[in-house]
Amino acid sequence: MYEPNVVGDWQEYDEHPGLRVRVHRVEPGEPPRGRDDAAEGLTYFRLRVTVENRGERQACVHLEDGQIDVRIGPDGEGAFIDWRNSQFVEGFDVHPLRRVTAVVHAAGPEADLAQVDVQVQLRVDDEWTARRLWTGGLGLTEGTGGTCPSAGREELAHQVSTFLRDQAEEGTA
């Protein structure tokens, strides 16, 4: 069974040796150029998608609108993506031992932001990679020892997610 990545995990691509991607820093935050009128009544958050090149050659990376899909809540509704305030990566040459980061500003009903799923399909040197999924949420920040608002299975999932995130962050310092 395919397991999604936890927000903060690095995902390597076999077809592009040394290239890895992660979704991280899902956090509340207002957009820098003001709220979009279409997001009235919604809560803004932002996330970062970082591409790192640990390979021996440079790679031309594209991470634009349409390549990042953000879903929220238990039903996987599409989040409002504020394209005007987001910062994408459009044909950037990532040299060895360098990184490039896209910042996505999105919004949704506050009650649904405890569960955020992000799907990324990277384009490298005009080749599409396989889609990868990360899961997290606004209430799931690093270092929190608390529990999820819901009980049972979701509480256990939260504890496992927190543990995995902590382990992933230790190796990236």
Side-chain angles (χ1 to χ4, degrees):
M1 182 174 137
Y2 174 75
E3 294 286 329
N5 298 294
V6 175
V7 168
D9 287 350
W10 286 100
Q11 176 64 56
E12 296 188 21
Y13 290 99
D14 294 334
E15 62 269 25
H16 299 285
L19 207 61
R20 63 186 197 159
V21 176
R22 79 173 173 164
V23 173
H24 57 110
R25 291 194 188 164
V26 176
E27 58 194 2
E30 290 294 317
R33 292 186 278 281
R35 297 176 64 89
D36 189 299
D37 293 340
E40 184 176 336
L42 301 177
T43 301
Y44 264 94
F45 64 98
R46 67 178 160 261
L47 59 95
R48 296 175 188 278
V49 181
T50 298
V51 179
E52 181 178 69
N53 186 354
R54 293 183 157 207
E56 297 179 4
R57 64 174 192 84
Q58 77 181 32
C60 182
V61 173
H62 299 268
L63 194 52
E64 304 169 283
D65 57 339
Q67 292 175 250
I68 302 172
D69 188 17
V70 182
R71 300 287 168 164
I72 56 176
D75 294 328
E77 295 287 333
F80 170 78
I81 305 293
D82 190 334
W83 303 114
R84 183 177 59 102
N85 281 296
S86 296
Q87 301 164 350
F88 296 100
V89 178
E90 300 177 25
F92 190 83
D93 291 330
V94 183
H95 291 272
L97 303 177
R98 298 286 190 228
R99 293 179 176 177
V100 63
T101 300
V103 180
V104 178
H105 290 272
E110 189 169 0
D112 290 342
L113 299 183
Q115 184 174 343
V116 177
D117 295 324
V118 181
Q119 184 172 274
V120 176
Q121 185 176 23
L122 188 64
R123 198 169 93 206
V124 181
D125 296 328
D126 292 326
E127 293 178 21
W128 292 98
T129 62
R131 289 183 178 94
R132 302 299 168 110
L133 178 69
W134 283 262
T135 188
L138 286 185
L140 304 177
T141 57
E142 289 87 348
T144 56
T147 59
C148 289
S150 56
R153 190 172 144 185
E154 288 183 66
E155 182 175 326
L156 177 61
H158 171 70
Q159 291 172 5
V160 170
S161 295
T162 300
F163 172 78
L164 291 173
R165 243 190 329 280
D166 290 344
Q167 295 299 312
E169 289 299 318
E170 286 178 13
T172 60

